[in-house]
Amino acid sequence: MALSQERSACLGLWVLLLLGAGMEEVVEGCSCHPAHPQQLFCSAEIVIRAKISGEKIVSPSNSSSPYMKMIQYEIKMIKMFKGFNKAKDIQYVYTPVFSSLCGVKLDSNNKAGYLLSGSMWSDGRISIGQCDLVESWDNLSLSQKKNLNYRYQMGCECRINTCYTVPCASTGEHECLWTDWLLDNSLNGEQARQYACIRRSDTTCGWYRGGPPPEKDFLDLADP
């Protein structure tokens, strides 16, 4: 919502703990590296489809700071795409109350459906944030929904390199060039919505689209 394939990092330094003074101070806002949906999928520990059925504010028992408060979303999990070895059934997900701490606001009034990705804390709770793959299910393209089942996972060993300027050249056979920003001035363009970078049988990586041909060519387009 990282240039690194391993993790889309939240760059915001959430909370500075001034332990000596016994104070907590927010020092920066939330900032995320641009990342293709597949990168966010691959870096997440948990990826699920769920409906939001309720929410409430919770605080750690050892802190009275408002900045430590979390929104606890009650969910009904519909399908799990990733994380089978970590969780069987997920009833709640957590996010910071403040957007400046990368918290996300979800619609809990209409039992809206979402694609949720995040990480698991040591106590088993699931954390989601702005730098994760969190999107209304209805806003996803058909290709994205299909790619969640297996194509994104097929390409997790591939590297997706974001192109901001020309020239933008591939640095190896195990890389896909993401050119949405160059072609559409957007990070939610054709490649993000329709394509997955997958490893082919010869171990090289290339973009794959399981549907009609694209309206425009990409700088690094090769169907397996």
Side-chain angles (χ1 to χ4, degrees), residues 155-214:
C156 282
E157 295 182 1
C158 299
R159 173 183 170 84
I160 298 177
N161 185 22
T162 309
C163 292
Y164 298 103
T165 59
V166 175
C168 181
S170 176
T171 59
E173 295 180 339
H174 307 300
E175 180 180 82
C176 294
L177 295 183
W178 182 23
T179 59
D180 278 344
W181 184 256
L182 288 179
L183 298 179
D184 299 325
N185 199 33
S186 168
L187 295 175
N188 193 35
E190 187 82 1
Q191 277 178 307
R193 294 186 58 78
Q194 306 297 341
Y195 281 76
C197 177
I198 67 171
R199 174 160 289 190
R200 300 189 288 247
S201 57
D202 61 358
T203 74
T204 63
C205 296
W207 290 113
Y208 176 83
R209 173 184 173 121

Side-chain angles (χ1 to χ4, degrees), residues 6-169:
E6 298 299 324
R7 181 69 186 163
S8 172
C10 177
L11 295 183
L13 179 58
W14 286 7
V15 178
L16 175 63
L17 298 178
L18 303 179
L19 298 179
M23 296 182 296
E24 295 165 351
E25 179 185 356
V26 175
V27 295
E28 252 182 67
C30 180
S31 178
C32 307
H33 279 302
H36 187 279
Q38 182 173 346
Q39 290 174 289
L40 299 180
F41 176 94
C42 291
S43 65
E45 293 184 274
I46 303 288
V47 183
I48 61 173
R49 178 187 177 186
K51 286 190 175 183
I52 311 300
S53 56
E55 66 176 274
K56 69 177 183 179
I57 306 297
V58 296
S59 300
S61 58
N62 61 349
S63 175
S64 60
S65 169
Y67 299 114
M68 301 300 290
K69 291 183 177 181
M70 306 288 288
I71 303 176
Q72 174 187 279
Y73 288 110
E74 184 177 357
I75 67 169
K76 180 179 181 181
M77 190 171 72
I78 299 173
K79 185 173 183 177
M80 178 174 284
F81 299 101
K82 187 179 180 183
F84 302 97
N85 61 329
K86 292 183 176 294
K88 300 299 182 182
D89 183 36
I90 301 172
Q91 296 179 308
Y92 304 100
V93 295
Y94 297 82
T95 192
V97 168
F98 297 103
S99 60
S100 60
L101 303 183
C102 296
V104 293
K105 183 62 178 176
L106 307 179
D107 183 3
S108 61
N109 296 321
N110 300 307
K111 295 185 178 181
Y114 286 92
L115 175 66
L116 303 175
S117 80
S119 56
M120 178 177 285
W121 293 340
S122 59
D123 62 4
R125 291 186 293 173
I126 307 300
S127 170
I128 63 173
Q130 293 178 31
C131 299
D132 297 311
L133 184 56
V134 177
E135 186 63 72
S136 168
W137 185 258
D138 292 338
N139 288 345
L140 298 175
S141 68
L142 180 59
S143 292
Q144 287 175 317
K145 293 175 181 178
K146 290 182 177 180
N147 289 338
L148 288 166
N149 287 312
Y150 62 93
R151 289 195 187 115
Y152 282 163
Q153 187 65 49
M154 288 174 60
C156 282
E157 295 182 1
C158 299
R159 173 183 170 84
I160 298 177
N161 185 22
T162 309
C163 292
Y164 298 103
T165 59
V166 175
C168 181

Side-chain angles (χ1 to χ4, degrees), residues 190 195 209-217 221 223:
E190 187 82 1
Y195 281 76
R209 173 184 173 121
E215 296 180 358
K216 60 184 75 175
D217 293 331
L221 175 61
D223 283 339

